Amino acid sequence: MPIDTTRPFLPVRIAVLTVSDTRSLAEDRSGDTLVGLLTEAGHDLAERTILRDDVDHIVAQLHRWIDDASIDCILTTGGTGVTGRDVTPEAVERVATKMIPGFGELFRWLSFQTIGTSTIQSRACACVARGTYIFALPGSTGAVKDAWNGILRDQLDSRHRPCNFVELMPRLLER
């Protein structure tokens, strides 16, 4: 889709949350990949942390970032599978004001091009939570790249046409 170079680029302030029982920040390849992609695109890394697969801790962190006016968007990586420990979609649903079902649908369609039917194991999802976007991505670097390059890079670019998530930010809290 086209980028309208006559429009200004508006950097988005993005927090990155890695959900993992096994990784530390030093070993967080998918989080590192996300940070690299978002900063390369001109966005600002607002905060970054890693949490274990615990729905209550994830919900608490999401609430902290949603309540922080300096954060426009939260990207999570990990915890979107189907095992008993994978609880990121449940945490996202608990804080959501409005779900964005098309994100998960489009992500799985794009991922299918790369990993075939294995994409059905992903529960990638997205929502708006009290004016903040949240996008929950799988924990692999390939999935993070698919989501960023195939969806988020354009939708988080204020110049993307015919529309993008950034231009909606001022109206997310309208009633």
Side-chain angles (χ1 to χ4, degrees), residues 111-112 115-122:
S111 180
F112 179 78
I115 64 169
T117 59
S118 295
T119 193
I120 201 158
Q121 297 179 25
S122 169

Side-chain angles (χ1 to χ4, degrees), residues 1-3 154 160-162:
M1 288 291 152
I3 296 295
D154 288 340
H160 182 263
R161 296 278 134 253

